[in-house]
Amino acid sequence: MTVTLAPFPGSTAPDLTISVMASRPRPSSLKLDYEVGGDVAAVKVPGFVKRARADELWRTTCFEAFVARPDGGYVEINLSPSGFWAVYGFDGYREGMTPLDGVEVRDSERAHDATWIARTVTLDLDRLGLPIDQPWRIALSTVIETADGAISYWALAHPSDKPDFHHPDSFVLELP
């Protein structure tokens, strides 16, 4: 399923198009294909590194996904164009943040040139308490930092009067 993200209403954002294809290639895995096109020269893109876990990726250009758990908590996934990644668990809305172990990142690819930025990753989420026999409710978002340091927030839904990717009403996409 491919969707297009929109900038937070009223914000100053570069002239970009951000699309995400989300799928579940296996009942316990999530595949995300983020593509950014348009005025990519305006975007600050972290340099490539060896794929590794890192914190605070959201402080610059970063792709994010959130998966709701049946217990009211959720999983947050951060993917940098650099190759860094992070996965956190939350007990409730912005409560009980814990880095999650046991996540396998496979099939990770990243690309960047003058016209587009792409990040594709498949994550095995077997040990995270997500139901494998029912659809997942997810939220998709992106943080874009421009070369001059301005930040814009892109999401599938903006249900609050300020950018808030964690808002429960952001989980608008259902993945079978």
Side-chain angles (χ1 to χ4, degrees), residues 28-40:
S28 62
S29 66
L30 178 63
K31 182 175 183 182
L32 300 165
D33 292 299
Y34 285 84
E35 290 192 10
V36 180
D39 188 13
V40 172

Side-chain angles (χ1 to χ4, degrees), residues 6-14 151-154 158 163:
F8 184 75
S11 66
T12 303
I151 301 283
S152 59
Y153 302 94
W154 300 67
H158 293 284

Side-chain angles (χ1 to χ4, degrees), residues 79-112:
L79 305 167
S80 171
S82 69
F84 283 133
W85 62 274
V87 178
Y88 304 97
F90 287 81
D91 298 331
Y93 175 67
R94 295 189 175 273
E95 293 180 356
M97 180 178 158
T98 306
L100 295 177
D101 296 322
V103 175
E104 182 182 341
V105 177
R106 16 178 221 105
D107 303 330
S108 179
E109 298 175 24
R110 57 197 188 269
H112 169 231

Side-chain angles (χ1 to χ4, degrees), residues 19-120:
S19 64
V20 187
M21 185 170 66
S23 62
R24 288 174 66 186
R26 293 185 321 121
S28 62
S29 66
L30 178 63
K31 182 175 183 182
L32 300 165
D33 292 299
Y34 285 84
E35 290 192 10
V36 180
D39 188 13
V40 172
V43 178
K44 182 177 180 180
V45 180
F48 290 147
V49 296
K50 183 178 176 183
R51 184 176 66 202
R53 183 181 185 104
D55 292 318
E56 298 189 351
L57 299 176
W58 51 268
R59 292 190 178 273
T60 187
T61 301
C62 176
F63 306 115
E64 299 187 1
F66 298 79
V67 184
R69 293 191 321 239
D71 64 3
Y74 57 95
V75 174
E76 176 182 356
I77 299 162
N78 296 162
L79 305 167
S80 171
S82 69
F84 283 133
W85 62 274
V87 178
Y88 304 97
F90 287 81
D91 298 331
Y93 175 67
R94 295 189 175 273
E95 293 180 356
M97 180 178 158
T98 306
L100 295 177
D101 296 322
V103 175
E104 182 182 341
V105 177
R106 16 178 221 105
D107 303 330
S108 179
E109 298 175 24
R110 57 197 188 269
H112 169 231
D113 66 20
T115 60
W116 66 290
I117 303 164
R119 179 76 201 271
T120 301

